[in-house]
Amino acid sequence: MTQSTVKVKIQKFGNFLSSMVLPNIGAFIAWGLITALFIPTGFFPNESLAKLVGPMVTYLLPLLIGYTGGKLVHDQRGGVVGAIATMGVIVGAPDTPMFLGAMVMGPLGAFVIKKFDGAIEGRVRAGFEMLVNNFSAGILGGILAILAFLGVGPAVHGFTNLLVAGVDWLVGAGLLPLTSLLIEPAKILFLNNAINHGVLSPIGLEQVQQTGQSLLFLLEANPGPGLGVLLAFMLFGKGTAKQSAPGAAIIHFLGGIHEIYFPYVLMKPMLFLSVILGGMSGVFTLVLLGGGLVAPASPGSILAITAVTPPEGMAYVANFAAVIVAAVVSFIVSAIVLKSSKKQEDDIEEATKRMEQMKGKKSSVAGQMNQNQGTLPDIVDKIVFACDAGMGSSAMGASLLRKKVKEAGLNIAVTNTAISNLPSDAQVVITQEELTPRAKNKLPNVYHISVDNFLSSPEYDKLIGSLQNDITEGQDELVETAEKEAVDVEPQADAEDDLLLEENIFIGQEFGTKEEAIRFAGEALVKAGYVKESYVEAMIEREGITTTYMGNNVAIPHGTEDAKKAVIKSGFTVIQVPNGVEFNGEQAKLIFGIAGKDGTHLEILSSIAVICSEQENVDKMVLAKTAKELKEIINSN
């Protein structure tokens, strides 16, 4: 197994752990606030309201984690069985908050019911589906709850106590600051949320039950180390890194988005020493002064930390001192590194790309802070969406932005094309993030915008806002000419009805991988007579260039630019996948297989784009019971 493969597996496991906790952070904060306010040592001691504290931490929080973990594995059905199984570990060890037990039993329960559903698929008589589904979930969930009660609960209880004892030993031996040697680099590389919410939070919540607070919640969440790095760049950095550091510092410290400082550290690897020493000094301060929180601080903002700091004792002094000390130490070391650096220009954009590669996903915050877009012209006449083939994602994006431009009263042409055909008179070019470098190579001197969601990107509204101050007159002719370029041949009325037929709409499908889903869509296009057999492999190849996931649970797989010659005529196939299939970390529940020839597909594709830009419409199509019903939803909008 290669190092890259191991890293990917660790990333996926870490992301899965944190994905069970992160959606429920609001509940953790609610519990933490009630605890801080109403327990006997709280701000407003209240014996009656304090009764909420125990049931919330014993039942509510573990059940939410178990349900969420189950739903991640097998949607709603997996969530229900996961919650039932989680109840077994809760009752099996009532003296221990079963967060770790929920992380085990939630996904396990969902996995069992998922395997059962796969085994009986297609074997249940019509009319008996609901009976089988309900009883299977109840029986399997009950069995798992009993097993969890008898075995898993006591085992997790013992393991949790062992972890807590280990932390206590580290504190007693004065070794807890050494955890920063692991935590700070791992945060920056790929495991920040997994460390905090998948490992530290469950142990910390057990400590809260015993002592009323836990400093583990601040091992990863302390914003001090990152703040010190950003302050050093503000004073001693160069180029775009120095310019962007003030905004990044505000987002990091007040917004709690630590990810934004990661590229600054990666730009100069010696800065790893800054955050490690800053983290160690912060932990040492917490241990020395007795700091800690009553609940996880998420995001790791100074505001969130303040909200869940217990009122008694020296907690506020200790916590704020830990942040300040960590920031000062990190700043001093960072300043030394930056002042001694021989490199004259800091390439923050390149560092952001390295961070995204290591994390295995895009960083919307860091990317937006450091994106090199070029300069937006004072007067914009033409906006071009570009993708690999120019037949799918770019056409949908252009349709949506064209609608927004019209609603804003702007006379600006919005077209779409393949990257290889980008016109020289384009002033603004919009592409998917992975394709932006190609577009920049083609037209390096225009204003480039990268998006990761063609259906609902915030970049559209930002662009419209910038352009509304530059409205010009006399552009109507330009708009008409450019919009004709977007559709090479106007759709013929008698051909439109043949683009999307009921027999090419497939309801209630399930796929293990996106490749299976794309191949299914391609073969359906072949059977319908829209494309030649070779087009299917071109669809798989196109997905390898950059994902065809558009956002809002919608994917639009289609062929490469070279595969246009394999298109016989324009047409669509629609595959409904209620349980979703993963497209690069996102769940696609509606898949539109596209074959486009001579632009005759663009009118209906434009209509689909407008419909799917509203999540409510997508949800209706996902719930449709027949092909006719789904098609009517498309036609009614």
Side-chain angles (χ1 to χ4, degrees):
M1 185 180 293
T2 65
Q3 183 178 358
S4 176
T5 303
V6 172
K7 189 192 79 170
V8 170
K9 289 184 179 296
I10 294 174
Q11 287 174 341
K12 287 185 176 180
F13 179 67
N15 287 336
F16 184 76
L17 287 179
S18 61
S19 294
M20 283 189 271
V21 179
L22 279 173
N24 302 307
I25 285 296
F28 280 85
I29 292 174
W31 171 74
L33 291 175
I34 290 172
T35 301
L37 291 172
F38 302 123
I39 61 174
T41 56
F43 286 103
F44 310 104
N46 186 300
E47 185 177 349
S48 297
L49 292 176
K51 293 177 181 178
L52 287 168
V53 174
M56 287 180 76
V57 74
T58 301
Y59 299 105
L60 175 64
L61 299 181
L63 285 172
L64 284 173
I65 292 173
Y67 175 83
T68 304
K71 190 174 182 181
L72 287 171
V73 174
H74 195 44
D75 206 53
Q76 173 79 14
R77 190 163 159 78
V80 171
V81 176
I84 297 171
T86 298
M87 196 65 193
V89 290
I90 292 173
V91 181
D95 297 330
T96 301
M98 271 293 132
F99 303 106
L100 291 177
M103 289 180 171
V104 173
M105 294 310 301
L108 178 61
F111 177 77
V112 170
I113 195 67
K114 182 178 183 178
K115 288 297 182 182
F116 176 83
D117 289 346
I120 67 167
E121 184 177 3
R123 300 180 182 180
V124 179
R125 284 191 175 187
F128 287 85
E129 295 90 347
M130 184 176 293
L131 181 69
V132 172
N133 285 344
N134 288 340
F135 271 86
S136 60
I139 293 170
L140 290 174
I143 293 172
L144 287 168
I146 293 171
L147 293 175
F149 174 85
L150 296 174
V152 180
V156 172
H157 172 71
F159 181 65
T160 302
N161 287 340
L162 184 64
L163 291 176
V164 173
V167 171
D168 291 339
W169 178 82
L170 288 173
V171 173
L175 298 177
L176 193 63
L178 295 180
T179 57
S180 295
L181 289 169
L182 171 65
I183 291 174
E184 294 300 332
K187 279 173 60 176
I188 293 171
L189 295 177
F190 46 81
L191 282 175
N192 51 319
N193 284 328
I195 288 172
N196 195 24
H197 300 303
V199 179
L200 298 177
S201 289
I203 307 172
L205 287 162
E206 173 65 19
Q207 284 191 321
V208 170
Q209 290 296 290
Q210 298 177 6
T211 64
Q213 66 182 47
S214 175
L215 60 79
L216 296 185
F217 296 135
L218 276 170
L219 294 189
E220 188 273 343
N222 186 346
L227 180 64
V229 171
L230 294 172
L231 291 175
F233 269 99
M234 288 170 57
L235 297 178
F236 306 112
K238 298 181 180 69
T240 55
K242 180 182 178 71
Q243 296 168 8
S244 60
I250 293 172
I251 292 173
H252 168 68
F253 191 62
L254 298 180
I257 310 301
H258 292 201
E259 185 177 286
I260 201 164
Y261 80 82
F262 297 170
Y264 294 84
V265 176
L266 290 171
M267 196 162 27
K268 297 184 183 298
M270 280 297 293
L271 291 177
F272 273 100
L273 186 62
S274 302
V275 292
I276 289 172
L277 292 177
M280 291 176 68
S281 61
V283 176
F284 178 78
T285 304
L286 286 170
V287 174
L288 184 66
L289 300 180
L293 304 177
V294 298
S298 183
S301 158
I302 190 64
L303 302 177
I305 290 170
T306 302
V308 290
T309 295
E312 70 274 8
M314 295 279 292
Y316 278 108
V317 173
N319 291 348
F320 292 158
V323 174
I324 294 170
V325 169
V328 169
V329 172
S330 178
F331 170 78
I332 292 172
V333 179
S334 298
I336 295 171
V337 171
L338 293 178
K339 291 289 286 182
S340 61
S341 175
K342 296 181 180 179
K343 189 176 180 181
Q344 296 300 310
E345 185 72 18
D346 297 326
D347 192 349
I348 189 66
E349 186 177 5
E350 182 60 33
T352 299
K353 291 178 182 177
R354 290 205 306 272
M355 181 200 74
E356 291 171 339
Q357 289 172 354
M358 285 187 288
K359 288 175 72 69
K361 59 182 180 181
K362 294 293 179 182
S363 171
S364 57
V365 177
Q368 289 175 16
M369 282 295 299
N370 306 308
Q371 192 176 31
N372 180 17
Q373 295 177 307
T375 303
L376 183 67
D378 293 333
I379 298 177
V380 175
D381 299 323
K382 190 171 185 177
I383 301 171
V384 180
F385 275 78
C387 63
D388 180 68
M391 76 167 75
S393 53
S394 63
M396 294 183 80
S399 299
L400 293 175
L401 187 59
R402 194 178 297 123
K403 180 172 179 285
K404 288 179 178 289
V405 165
K406 184 177 180 181
E407 290 172 349
L410 299 173
N411 291 324
I412 299 173
V414 182
T415 71
N416 69 282
T417 185
I419 288 179
S420 59
N421 297 326
L422 273 170
S424 59
D425 60 342
Q427 295 164 295
V428 178
V429 175
I430 303 177
T431 49
Q432 284 174 298
E433 291 172 325
E434 294 89 346
L435 298 177
T436 300
R438 284 175 55 189
K440 285 183 177 180
N441 288 336
K442 183 76 174 178
L443 294 178
N445 297 319
V446 306
Y447 187 76
H448 288 270
I449 296 176
S450 299
V451 298
D452 61 356
N453 183 334
F454 268 124
L455 288 180
S456 57
S457 175
E459 294 296 333
Y460 299 158
D461 292 329
K462 290 180 185 177
L463 178 61
I464 293 295
S466 300
L467 294 173
Q468 281 180 320
N469 295 324
D470 301 319
I471 298 176
T472 59
E473 297 183 4
Q475 293 178 314
D476 294 322
E477 184 177 346
L478 284 168
V479 175
E480 292 176 7
T481 302
E483 287 186 349
K484 286 179 181 178
E485 291 174 6
V487 183
D488 299 322
V489 177
E490 288 294 328
Q492 300 177 2
D494 59 353
E496 280 186 38
D497 292 337
D498 193 39
L499 289 174
L500 180 57
L501 305 175
E502 282 187 29
E503 54 262 37
N504 294 328
I505 299 176
F506 302 89
I507 300 295
Q509 302 298 308
E510 285 202 20
F511 304 100
T513 64
K514 65 177 180 179
E515 286 76 15
E516 291 179 18
I518 294 171
R519 200 170 293 280
F520 183 94
E523 290 171 354
L525 290 171
V526 174
K527 291 177 183 176
Y530 295 127
V531 299
K532 299 176 182 177
E533 189 71 37
S534 60
Y535 190 79
V536 179
E537 293 303 323
M539 293 174 74
I540 301 293
E541 181 184 346
R542 170 62 181 80
E543 185 65 29
I545 296 173
T546 181
T547 182
T548 55
Y549 180 80
M550 301 295 294
N552 292 2
N553 302 122
V554 175
I556 56 163
H558 54 274
T560 60
E561 183 178 10
D562 292 340
K564 286 183 177 179
K565 58 182 178 291
V567 178
I568 299 170
K569 60 180 180 178
S570 292
F572 293 82
T573 182
V574 183
I575 300 100
Q576 180 203 68
V577 191
N579 292 327
V581 59
E582 184 179 342
F583 271 66
N584 284 35
E586 304 287 351
Q587 290 295 311
K589 297 185 178 183
L590 276 181
I591 298 172
F592 293 87
I594 299 172
K597 189 176 182 67
D598 299 328
T600 55
H601 68 301
L602 293 178
E603 186 168 315
I604 189 172
L605 184 59
S606 174
S607 175
I608 290 172
V610 173
I611 293 167
C612 293
S613 66
E614 299 291 338
Q615 184 68 51
E616 181 182 353
N617 294 331
V618 175
D619 293 340
K620 287 179 181 178
M621 287 187 276
V622 172
L623 294 174
K625 300 300 182 184
T626 64
K628 181 179 180 181
E629 181 183 349
L630 195 152
K631 186 176 180 182
E632 286 176 352
I633 295 172
I634 294 176
N635 293 335
S636 65
N637 286 270

